[in-house]
Amino acid sequence: MTISVPQAKSGISSIKAHMVATSADAGPEITISLDSNESAFGPSPKALTAAAAATDHLERYLENPASILVPAIAASHGLEPERLAIGFGSDDILARIARAYLQPGTALLRSQNSYLKVPNYAYANDAEALAAPDSNFCTDVDAMLASLTPETRIVYLANPDNPSGAMLPGDEVRRLHAGLPGHVLLVIDGAYAEYVTDPAYATGEDLVRAHDNVVVTRSFSKIHGLAGARVGWAYAAPQVIDTITRIGLTFPLATPSLHAAVAALADEDHRNYVRNETAKLRDEATLKLTDAGIHVYPGHGNFVLMEMKSDKNLAPKLDAALRQEGISLRRFASPAFDSCLRMTIGHHAETRAATAALVRLYGEMA
């Protein structure tokens, strides 16, 4: 007798971790956690107040949260409501886009060292994940266009990127889009867009307005400090918005999350403070690390990527030594980043303490 068991999609077996997992008992208690790209400055006090006030009726579903949050996003960013969709984090939006536009026999293309989780969106839909060569961890538009195949349905661009922090200027993003066939969807992941101060940067909304094959995703998890609330949104042509909305959850946001997000949008002073302080600390850390001989990649997000070019085995040793001092940074499950560490910009004191520890330990080990 043949015994059969339920079989998942074959591509799911290709899904793997994109970050290096560290055992909880690997050392002393972590007191400075700069591994995930959260905002250490936290949410707007107005967002905290709004979230707390919204807990009075948690026994109720929140009906049609888009009718509350979409107008707030539209007003804050000067966008058309019919081109907006919401979800529980931009990760949810990205997964839905992949679910809608990928299937067996199709492919997703990204820059080879871009956001390392992205291939998993393709694998989950039995699609192929393609990678174009990059230039020093920066997206190479010519390489991306040369890597297009007849099967490509999605081209993914994280801008700024993670973990590199690299930013592709607006003219290069437009050149990338100009080289794509109309049936290929350009997905611009702008999770760190609010941190960018470079005037050459473009968020991508102009491309959305002019073309039907562009979608921009954004997150409340970064500069708004609402990582635990899980709120994200997308801006695209109405037919794309209709598609990804159809396959969303019936009640896509928790009530406190929704109200926290609406209040966060209204607090421009808090956003400006977080942006300015993050930039100051990022530049300060970059200077100190560079002076110590550590290579730091130019970054435009709330983190810095550093590489120990002298010894590829130095990064894990530094990581272990930092953990012994209660400091947690991020390593990645990709050979390209074996000699790298990423440090999120935290509070002033913790960022400076982690930077000082890095400089000291690097001086002892290098």
Side-chain angles (χ1 to χ4, degrees):
M1 182 178 64
T2 301
I3 299 177
S4 61
V5 296
Q7 297 293 314
K9 294 177 182 177
S10 59
I12 292 176
S13 62
S14 297
I15 293 175
K16 56 187 177 182
H18 60 287
M19 298 179 289
V20 175
T22 303
S23 172
D25 58 1
E29 178 186 359
I30 297 299
T31 56
I32 299 179
S33 182
L34 303 178
D35 44 13
S36 291
N37 291 335
E38 304 143 340
S39 170
F41 297 99
S44 157
K46 297 176 182 177
L48 291 175
T49 299
T55 60
D56 288 344
H57 298 288
L58 292 183
E59 75 280 7
R60 300 290 186 184
Y61 288 117
L62 178 62
E63 298 282 352
N64 194 15
S67 66
I68 301 172
L69 183 54
V70 161
I73 295 171
S76 178
H77 292 274
L79 304 175
E80 307 82 50
E82 66 273 15
R83 292 177 177 268
L84 291 167
I86 60 172
F88 53 97
S90 56
D91 186 57
D92 167 43
I93 299 287
L94 293 169
R96 277 194 265 160
I97 292 169
R99 209 157 74 238
Y101 293 97
L102 295 177
Q103 59 186 325
T106 64
L108 176 152
L109 172 66
R110 75 188 233 284
S111 185
Q112 70 183 104
N113 293 304
S114 186
Y115 184 33
L116 299 172
K117 183 179 180 180
V118 170
N120 292 342
Y121 296 126
Y123 299 145
N125 294 282
D126 280 346
E128 187 177 2
L130 305 175
D134 62 15
S135 176
N136 211 25
F137 291 151
C138 295
T139 297
D140 183 322
V141 171
D142 292 322
M144 289 282 277
L145 294 176
S147 299
L148 286 168
T149 68
E151 294 74 34
T152 305
R153 295 294 180 273
I154 292 177
V155 169
Y156 171 88
L157 174 69
N159 199 31
D161 212 337
N162 174 30
S164 70
M167 183 273 290
L168 197 66
D171 57 353
E172 283 292 276
V173 177
R174 289 185 286 272
R175 188 165 73 87
L176 172 62
H177 176 265
L180 301 181
H183 68 276
V184 173
L185 186 66
L186 175 61
V187 176
I188 303 173
D189 182 348
Y192 302 94
E194 290 92 347
Y195 290 104
V196 185
T197 57
D198 191 320
Y201 179 69
T203 55
E205 281 89 351
D206 57 335
L207 282 173
V208 171
R209 292 190 181 100
H211 304 280
D212 290 340
N213 66 333
V214 184
V215 56
V216 171
T217 65
R218 298 283 281 274
S219 174
F220 281 83
S221 297
K222 309 305 178 184
I223 203 165
H224 292 293
L226 292 172
R230 311 305 298 127
V231 186
W233 55 275
Y235 180 65
Q239 62 268 29
V240 175
I241 293 301
D242 179 68
T243 295
I244 61 178
T245 298
R246 285 173 183 267
I247 57 175
L249 295 179
T250 304
F251 304 105
L253 286 185
T255 304
S257 297
L258 172 89
H259 290 286
V262 171
L265 286 169
D267 196 341
E268 185 177 0
D269 289 342
H270 182 74
R271 282 198 303 283
N272 289 338
Y273 172 77
V274 174
R275 178 187 301 109
N276 294 337
E277 294 307 302
T278 299
K280 289 176 187 176
L281 288 167
R282 185 184 63 210
D283 293 347
E284 178 186 304
T286 297
L287 179 61
K288 290 181 179 179
L289 293 166
T290 302
D291 285 346
I294 299 173
H295 178 71
V296 181
Y297 287 89
H300 296 267
N302 66 332
F303 55 90
V304 293
L305 179 72
M306 62 201 88
E307 185 172 6
M308 319 307 148
K309 288 183 174 287
S310 60
D311 180 359
K312 68 178 182 179
N313 297 315
L314 191 53
K317 292 177 183 177
L318 279 170
D319 181 51
L322 287 165
R323 286 183 174 275
Q324 288 301 313
E325 298 189 13
I327 301 170
S328 174
L329 304 189
R330 178 69 77 203
R331 293 182 58 229
F332 296 93
S334 167
F337 295 98
D338 279 350
S339 58
C340 295
L341 291 172
R342 190 194 68 194
M343 180 175 74
T344 302
I345 301 304
H347 284 297
H348 301 78
E350 60 187 9
T351 302
R352 288 165 179 158
T355 301
L358 264 166
V359 168
R360 171 173 48 80
L361 291 168
Y362 181 81
E364 295 171 0
M365 295 182 181

